[in-house]
Amino acid sequence: KEATKLLREALAATGQKHPYASHLIIHSTEMSNAEAQGALDAADRLLAVVSPLQDQHLQHMTSHTYFRTGHYHEGVLANQLAMKSDADYIHHGLMSYGPVHNAVFCVVSAMWGGERAEAYTAVQRVQDLFMDDPERRDGPDAKKAWSY
């Protein structure tokens, strides 16, 4: 709760526009439905900022709040953006961060929201990711993430 309080102060000091503080508020509240409810505005603002970018992790992270608060369709939309960014990364031979996780989260959000066709589409994406490269990791390993 102290971390979330500090993050809210950081957002207030930046006019609610700091994407990393919004991202961390989602992480700090995602384990509780009640706390996640208080992160909806941060998720909405973050998605608005990162939608036009190729930032699949931040696009996806908003869906953690949307799912926890019952906004399943918004979770589907967020993961569709992330899956598009993932596909662009992979197409150019780059390491995407969590493409399977993003697609699976899309499946779950769609299922809980009653969007059967989208759930099937996202399941096909999961299968394609494994079929295209069965050895692909679902994100960079620690060596890549922490090498300077």
Side-chain angles (χ1 to χ4, degrees):
K1 294 197 185 251
E2 185 176 337
T4 303
K5 180 180 176 271
L6 290 171
L7 290 165
R8 290 193 192 288
E9 290 172 9
L11 277 173
T14 62
Q16 306 296 322
K17 294 183 181 184
H18 197 291
Y20 193 60
S22 296
H23 171 222
L24 292 178
I25 279 180
I26 291 168
H27 276 296
S28 73
T29 60
E30 69 181 312
M31 297 310 291
S32 161
N33 291 350
E35 287 185 36
Q37 192 69 38
L40 267 173
D41 287 342
D44 289 342
R45 283 189 305 273
L46 180 59
L47 191 58
V49 168
V50 299
S51 286
L53 306 176
Q54 294 278 305
D55 199 336
Q56 67 274 39
H57 180 64
L58 295 183
Q59 291 165 339
H60 156 78
M61 276 309 300
T62 62
S63 70
H64 284 253
T65 297
Y66 295 141
F67 186 82
R68 276 288 193 181
T69 57
H71 293 84
Y72 305 118
H73 181 68
E74 289 80 358
V76 168
L77 295 176
N79 281 296
Q80 286 173 332
L81 284 170
M83 289 164 45
K84 169 71 170 95
S85 294
D86 288 330
D88 290 346
Y89 267 65
I90 291 166
H91 174 75
H92 292 288
L94 301 172
M95 172 65 77
S96 181
Y97 185 84
V100 174
H101 177 74
N102 298 344
V104 168
F105 223 88
C106 191
V107 171
V108 173
S109 296
M111 287 173 46
W112 278 62
E115 296 183 49
R116 182 179 180 155
E118 182 52 43
Y120 278 113
T121 298
V123 163
Q124 185 62 56
R125 181 66 187 140
V126 172
Q127 291 173 334
D128 291 346
L129 285 164
F130 282 114
M131 294 298 291
D132 291 345
D133 186 356
E135 301 301 318
R136 177 187 295 126
R137 295 177 180 264
D138 203 34
D141 63 17
K143 287 186 283 188
K144 193 170 205 166
W146 295 105
S147 63
Y148 296 101

